[in-house]
């Protein structure tokens, strides 16, 4: 079964930028939607941004004007999250959650597979 893996996290200074990628372990035929969540220790996952296949997006208030979500589906890259003007409060593990059709057969049957990645750590220093 296809798996999702996030990458692009790391340590960045206050005001810096990072672009996170959510990559499939194999090629994916269709992506219905992708959501990015973040989680800090002891807290629930927080929805940061989501994007649907038609390009419509939603952002948490804290992310508006700073984060941009996109669906890629090139070279197994499912989606990206570009983050700018990062603040220490953005420090968290970022996870992608995608609704997708791994194959044309799944797409033709309108069968959706929902997958979580394991996350990538983003740390913003002061």
């Amino acid at each position: 079964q296809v798996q999702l893996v996030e990458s692009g996290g790391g340590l960045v200074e206050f005001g810096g930028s990072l672009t996170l990628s959510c990559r499939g372990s194999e090629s994916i035929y269709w992506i219905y939607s992708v959501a990015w969540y973040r989680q800090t220790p002891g807290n629930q996952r927080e929805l940061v941004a989501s994007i649907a296949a038609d390009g419509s997006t939603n952002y948490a208030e804290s992310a508006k004007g700073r984060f941009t979500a996109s669906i890629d589906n090139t070279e197994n890259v499912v989606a990206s999250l570009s983050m700018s003007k990062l603040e220490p409060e953005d420090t968290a593990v970022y996870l992608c959650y995608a609704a997708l059709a791994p194959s044309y057969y799944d797409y033709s049957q309108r069968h959706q597979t929902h997958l979580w990645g394991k996350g990538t750590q983003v740390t913003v220093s002061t």
Side-chain angles (χ1 to χ4, degrees):
Q1 184 181 5
V2 64
Q3 297 179 343
L4 299 180
V5 179
E6 301 90 339
S7 63
L11 176 63
V12 64
E13 291 184 347
F14 177 86
S17 301
L18 283 174
T19 296
L20 307 182
S21 295
C22 177
R23 187 182 300 270
S25 57
E26 56 191 69
S27 63
I28 294 167
Y29 184 81
W30 187 257
I31 301 163
Y32 292 99
S33 64
V34 178
W36 289 91
Y37 288 78
R38 64 188 181 188
Q39 188 169 26
T40 54
N43 294 310
Q44 291 185 338
R45 289 179 182 176
E46 172 192 15
L47 178 63
V48 175
S50 63
I51 181 168
D54 64 2
S56 58
T57 55
N58 282 291
Y59 297 95
E61 283 298 320
S62 61
K64 288 180 180 178
R66 301 189 301 127
F67 293 4
T68 302
S70 61
I71 288 179
D72 299 315
N73 206 14
T74 57
E75 298 183 0
N76 288 12
V77 176
V78 172
S80 298
L81 181 68
S82 296
M83 307 185 295
S84 63
K85 302 176 184 177
L86 286 165
E87 305 166 351
E89 291 75 19
D90 297 316
T91 295
V93 174
Y94 284 72
L95 307 99
C96 65
Y97 176 72
L100 48 87
S103 68
Y104 173 75
Y105 176 77
D106 295 310
Y107 179 76
S108 67
Q109 300 298 308
R110 294 186 171 83
H111 178 248
Q112 293 191 18
T113 297
H114 297 260
L115 297 174
W116 282 98
K118 293 185 177 181
T120 184
Q121 176 70 46
V122 171
T123 302
V124 184
S125 64
T126 56

